[in-house]
Amino acid sequence: MSQAPAINHQVRLAARPVGLPRQSDWRFTSEPVREPAEGEVLIKNLYLSLDPAMRGWMNEGRSYIRPVAIDEVMRAGGIGRVIASTSPRFAVGDHVSGTLGVQEYWTGKADDREAALHKVDPALPLPKYLNALGMPGMTAYFGLLDIGQPKPGETVVVSGAAGAVGQTVGQVAKHKGCRVVGIAGGKEKCDFVVNELGFDACIDYKNGSVREGLKQHCPKGVDIYFDNVGGDILDDVLAKLAMKARIIICGAISQYNNTTPVKGPANYLSLLVNRARMEGMVVFDYADRYHVAMAEMAGWMKEGSFRSREDIVRGLDKFPEALLMLFEGKNFGKLVLQVADET
Amino acid sequence: MSQAPAINHQVRLAARPVGLPRQSDWRFTSEPVREPAEGEVLIKNLYLSLDPAMRGWMNEGRSYIRPVAIDEVMRAGGIGRVIASTSPRFAVGDHVSGTLGVQEYWTGKADDREAALHKVDPALPLPKYLNALGMPGMTAYFGLLDIGQPKPGETVVVSGAAGAVGQTVGQVAKHKGCRVVGIAGGKEKCDFVVNELGFDACIDYKNGSVREGLKQHCPKGVDIYFDNVGGDILDDVLAKLAMKARIIICGAISQYNNTTPVKGPANYLSLLVNRARMEGMVVFDYADRYHVAMAEMAGWMKEGSFRSREDIVRGLDKFPEALLMLFEGKNFGKLVLQVADET
């Protein structure tokens, strides 16, 4: 950084959205890139993770993480390259994962708690660290294994099957000997999870009845349901639970943009009839075991028994419209915003 | 039974109710009392248990127990006295608990599976065997301890606090060192659970906001919620969960007579934020450990540290209107129908 300082383009939260976020809920700003002070690093952002959870961070009020403040740079996980450092922890050229924000550069303490920077190995494609080897993968792995406790031969159903979390849930469940049924929107996504990822079946909720699909593909009922969507699909699965079933509540993308109250699961008394349980999880609780999950899944990737698909959109300015793709089911695979070239 | 056979008056299900059961959903019949054949017993019914669950048994369709058939004698647990026996398991004069039905006499095999007859000790008042020492008590005990897993110092909230299950949940929780907050309808019931049963507080849902009450009485949030009612109260508690909270789904009396779909808990995503779980239970699963619960609670009763209250209505013909008391919250304590004098 011996030249004149570069410009850092940023996307800030301008207003708390009502329903789907609109262009006017965002403000594009720019400021000079800040040089690292003592103990700090400067990172050039390469890939940003676009996640359904972002919608929740935009709301006011108590949740598992503080809301993004008005005028603050929008929170986002990302992968970047260290381009200046005064910290012994990171060297120029290192690739790092962390909470880098929807912007082109990040400057801050190497040990900043919110950023939670850590090095990643560029031997694997970098976007994988926002997918199976990142938060979605960790969510899938620990939600399925710790909360779901799958046993070989059990039937696992996952919604959002072609999405970031769903891809990993299904493949980890297959590795653990389960029968896996996905739920996804459209033939192309369903074909992908069956033919490319090895799910046993996939129900296309856009072209048919989920209830009929469950009847056909889960003749012994659903032992584990990993719920990413909520709404009617959650109710359909509740109606097909096996005894002692476990439901992992990971998200409810169908409800995040509601301007009316959330639709609670009307069939929740199926929990009683089936002695079943529904449990929520937040991935951060498993941080001290991320390395275990990453090692196991990276191993499967290297041996070719685990795949993941990303849907990469280019350009920081595309952030607002790219985010909407998630809520319309338009992304195919983990949605990633590329904000700079790798080299 | 050397005299001419007595008459057995019975209440049979005439029609499947829509909404609250009406008089026309019942048929009163009578038939001669049947003498016991080989291996059978004849029981004179004394007390019958009236339970919210009865409403569910009247519906068609799959549940945790088969529905009562049209024209069948309505199912009910009860306490009776053996008045004739050809089985070595029971002698004339024995008091027994079992599924005796809404009728004056029961004749059948001593080892009938559905009836599940077992002797009770008449040293304790017989209605206790339909309350704390019966199904409601077993439900409360195992639901709280096995599903809830209370730790000393935790805050336990129970709805229907003055009802059969609620009374026991609260007192067992106090014995296990928890802070206990009841929810009940009316000042009289609230005073009872606080002053007579030793709850720490009680929220009167008929005269004030449950949400405000929870705020006041559960400053650290709710660790365990034992839900007997569902509906809005379940949503209010979901909004006040502590981290890692457990909700025991025992029933949903507010929803049993709906003619519209069940109201699902709109705040269920609080399970995610708080890493909490919601789990259903059915008491029959714990049958092999009933004796443990009965011994512990009978011990507390004898030492004076455990009370229970019954609300006794007299006369088999009062069954239809007595049952409705449950859904209007008119009973005060475990509702029992006395169908004959003890002596």
Side-chain angles (χ1 to χ4, degrees), chain B residues 297-317:
Chain B
M297 290 192 283
W300 291 334
M301 279 183 188
K302 284 169 191 162
E303 75 181 31
S305 66
F306 190 99
R307 298 177 182 192
S308 67
R309 173 172 177 145
E310 295 83 33
D311 188 338
I312 296 180
V313 174
R314 269 198 71 104
L316 188 79
D317 58 321

Side-chain angles (χ1 to χ4, degrees), chain B residues 127-128 131-132 162-164 167-168 171 188-189 192-193 196-197 301 306-312 331-336:
Chain B
K128 302 293 177 204
N131 192 4
Q167 291 181 14
T168 298
Q171 291 182 92
E188 202 185 354
K189 289 180 182 174
F192 166 71
V193 302
E196 301 291 318
L197 304 186
M301 279 183 188
F306 190 99
R307 298 177 182 192
S308 67
R309 173 172 177 145
E310 295 83 33
D311 188 338
I312 296 180
N331 59 306
F332 188 167
K334 164 65 193 169
L335 187 61
V336 171

